Amino acid sequence: MSFLTPLGALIAVLVVAPVAAFVVGERGRRRVNALLRLKQPSRNKRLAPVVAVVVIAALFGLAATQPTVVRRSQQHIRTDAEAWFVLDTSLSMKAAAGPGSPSRFRRAQSLAIRLRNELADVPVGVASITDRALPHLFPSPDSDTFDVTVERSMGIERPPPTDGFSTRITTLGSIARIASDNFFAPTTRKRLIVVFTDGETKPFVDESLGTVFRQPPGVHAVFVRIWGAGEHVYDGHRVDPLYRPDPSSATYIQQLAATTGGVAVDAGDFGAIVKAAREALGHGPTQVLKNEQRRLELAPYLAGFAFLPLGFLLWRRNL
């Protein structure tokens, strides 16, 4: 536990004034009771108000120090490896088995997060792909930031493609930009790109992709196909008539994997995805990264508890 503003505890000194007033009032009460020969109240009744005041001051004083429960951990991070997870955000990734079923994109998000957890020792970045590849998060060891980026910052056609009038806008060949445009740190020797897509791309023949991916130190690619023959794009409960599932997407994925020297894996075989990624990254040196994560701020709770003795004082005053 740490205290962000320890000097805030000085606010508890304010309890001196009401306690002094209580002492003076108590002496006066005793003299009056003695003169009038009234029965003295019990000690508990006499001390209850001052105890309540002290508790209120203590709770507010402690709250003013802003106590925070902090979790510290150490993480071993690869210094020679980085990975990029590329999520297809084209409209076809909105397809699902039914109006209430998870879309291809939602399944891609879940797979990306699961795979990120399996590669906890590797810095991972996130990019999206439609007719171009765009980075959203550069490789980082912070899994929380990764999860937030994937779940909240990414979405179907966010940003929209440049060619908004075509029914098929995905260009998987544009992943070459990730391999060639300094997306990886210059010192990174083990480089991995994992693409989560339905494979419904514009046909392409680009043998230069092989050169880009094999250029030293080389980039390993894993293509995860997320697709279903009976899936449709839904607008509410209505099927979008402009979309048709493309069974040849599997062929496109295989061609792309062969061209880049990578592997194609079906989304249903998560073990194979992890195995392919681990084999591509291999083993390498690590460094210890110390993490400090704020878990819980206690000040609001302490201030809230202070209203209990305050309520007691108000209730006693009205008796």
Side-chain angles (χ1 to χ4, degrees):
M1 181 183 293
S2 63
F3 299 90
L4 303 183
T5 53
L7 293 180
L10 295 176
I11 195 175
V13 175
L14 298 177
V15 75
V16 173
V19 170
F22 172 80
V23 172
V24 173
E26 182 67 11
R27 289 178 179 176
R29 183 195 58 74
R30 288 179 180 177
R31 287 197 298 267
V32 171
N33 283 1
L35 290 173
L36 299 179
R37 297 181 180 179
L38 297 176
K39 182 180 179 182
Q40 295 285 354
S42 66
R43 183 179 180 182
N44 290 341
K45 288 185 178 181
R46 287 186 287 110
L47 293 180
V50 72
V51 171
V53 170
V54 171
V55 171
I56 291 172
L59 288 173
F60 276 119
L62 188 57
T65 65
Q66 299 187 64
T68 305
V69 177
V70 177
R71 183 186 68 183
R72 293 179 175 86
S73 62
Q74 290 186 348
Q75 190 177 6
H76 292 270
I77 300 299
R78 289 277 296 276
T79 57
D80 66 330
E82 287 182 350
W84 277 90
F85 288 4
V86 184
L87 276 68
D88 186 347
T89 58
S90 60
L91 185 61
S92 64
M93 290 293 286
K94 191 178 178 181
S101 302
S103 66
R104 295 172 183 172
F105 180 71
R106 182 57 193 157
R107 280 136 55 195
Q109 289 174 304
S110 299
L111 281 172
I113 291 173
R114 287 179 64 191
L115 184 59
R116 175 70 186 89
N117 293 334
E118 293 290 335
L119 305 179
D121 59 335
V122 178
V124 179
V126 185
S128 63
I129 188 171
T130 50
D131 56 351
R132 65 200 189 280
L134 294 175
H136 293 261
L137 173 69
F138 276 82
S140 167
D142 190 339
S143 60
D144 290 339
T145 302
F146 178 91
D147 293 352
V148 170
T149 302
V150 169
E151 292 183 330
R152 301 184 184 180
S153 299
M154 305 185 72
I156 299 296
E157 295 193 340
R158 284 169 37 193
T162 55
D163 183 5
F165 298 98
S166 175
T167 56
R168 179 173 295 182
I169 51 88
T170 306
T171 307
L172 289 177
S174 60
I175 62 169
R177 182 190 172 199
I178 299 176
S180 63
D181 288 5
N182 297 319
F183 277 54
F184 292 95
T187 57
T188 302
R189 310 309 300 171
K190 299 291 183 67
R191 305 180 178 192
L192 171 67
I193 295 178
V194 183
V195 183
F196 300 88
T197 179
D198 54 15
E200 296 183 349
T201 178
K202 291 180 178 179
F204 62 91
V205 178
D206 191 351
E207 296 299 329
S208 65
L209 276 176
T211 303
V212 171
F213 275 78
R214 292 181 176 88
Q215 184 176 355
V219 178
H220 298 276
V222 177
F223 298 92
V224 181
R225 183 176 181 244
I226 305 170
W227 189 85
E231 295 179 333
H232 299 278
V233 173
Y234 291 89
D235 183 9
H237 289 273
R238 186 177 59 183
V239 174
D240 185 346
L242 297 179
Y243 171 75
R244 293 287 187 277
D246 183 4
S248 62
S249 60
T251 302
Y252 290 140
I253 290 282
Q254 292 291 344
Q255 289 177 348
L256 188 58
T259 302
T260 60
V263 296
V265 186
D266 188 83
D269 192 349
F270 183 70
I273 299 173
V274 175
K275 181 181 178 181
R278 274 297 177 193
E279 287 180 349
L281 292 169
H283 300 280
T286 62
Q287 67 178 4
V288 176
L289 179 66
K290 294 183 179 180
N291 295 324
E292 182 174 297
Q293 182 178 1
R294 187 174 301 173
R295 300 297 297 174
L296 181 63
E297 295 182 357
L298 300 179
Y301 301 97
L302 294 171
F305 283 128
F307 284 94
L308 294 177
L310 180 60
F312 167 75
L313 288 178
L314 296 175
W315 170 77
R316 180 184 175 87
R317 177 178 177 274
N318 293 324
L319 286 179

